[in-house]
Amino acid sequence: MRLTTKGRYAVTAMLDLALHSDEGPVSLADISTRQGISLSYLEQLFARLRHFKLVQSVRGPGGGYRLTGSTTDISIAQVVDAVSESLDATRCEGKGNCHEGEVCLTHHLWEDLSAQIHRFLSDITLADLVARNDIQSVRKRQDLRVVSTHNDETHIAISEIL
């Protein structure tokens, strides 16, 4: 059992959004630069997150996305669920047909593990992650990457004008 790229990227993008929510709407391009996630993939994820009312889009200049609620109200499990990510540890995807069409010997064990993982992620909010010092350190490093990228683009644009 493992969380796939879709779930990991959705959580990463939502955490990035939460870390920068005090700056106004956050563009997917900035999230893409900081996190190394393709813009088109982020657009797909944010369509799902918007459908589940975890984010809302802001149009126009300076637009982007913002959280619909407080970081204390959004759990990691909600984010994973919104992108239809399964946390199922069973081999049969919870269908109970894992051993010759019937429940296998360990089906209930893996089913209980899946429930434990979901409860664990339900107990962690974006606010919990934002408050962590290790995450704040990574944020500072990534923010420098965005500033550096924007400065490089500005330098190139100015050079082309001159």
Side-chain angles (χ1 to χ4, degrees):
M1 196 246 20
R2 67 185 192 99
L3 188 62
T4 65
T5 302
K6 186 190 302 184
R8 289 179 188 277
Y9 281 0
V11 171
T12 298
M14 285 291 283
L15 180 54
D16 186 289
L17 183 60
L19 285 164
H20 295 90
S21 62
D22 59 336
E23 302 163 14
V26 178
S27 76
L28 293 184
D30 282 349
I31 295 173
S32 174
T33 300
R34 282 189 294 264
Q35 304 309 324
I37 303 170
S38 84
L39 190 55
S40 61
Y41 200 75
L42 283 172
E43 289 167 351
Q44 293 171 30
L45 291 176
F46 273 74
R48 299 286 306 157
L49 295 167
R50 191 173 57 243
H51 176 76
F52 279 83
K53 299 187 183 351
L54 295 176
V55 299
Q56 65 185 79
S57 61
V58 178
R59 299 194 184 279
Y65 283 87
R66 63 176 165 220
L67 301 172
T68 56
S70 167
T71 57
T72 59
D73 297 331
I74 300 173
S75 75
I76 302 308
Q78 286 176 290
V79 175
V80 171
D81 291 344
V83 296
S84 304
E85 183 64 27
S86 173
L87 294 172
D88 183 18
T90 65
R91 284 189 307 172
C92 62
E93 299 174 352
K95 295 175 188 166
N97 60 357
C98 24
H99 184 73
E100 298 175 3
E102 297 181 350
V103 173
C104 72
L105 194 59
T106 57
H107 176 82
H108 298 292
L109 171 68
W110 304 128
E111 199 171 52
D112 290 348
L113 175 61
S114 299
Q116 285 279 58
I117 292 168
H118 198 272
R119 274 192 298 277
F120 173 77
L121 294 177
S122 293
D123 289 340
I124 300 171
T125 65
L126 289 173
D128 295 329
L129 296 178
V130 166
R132 291 179 54 155
N133 289 332
D134 55 342
I135 288 175
Q136 287 296 332
S137 295
V138 172
R139 173 199 179 165
K140 289 175 186 171
R141 185 189 75 233
Q142 291 177 340
D143 286 350
L144 289 174
R145 181 181 306 143
V146 170
V147 169
S148 174
T149 301
H150 286 298
N151 286 344
D152 289 347
E153 290 170 1
T154 303
H155 178 70
I156 291 167
I158 290 171
S159 297
E160 290 171 354
I161 292 171
L162 298 175

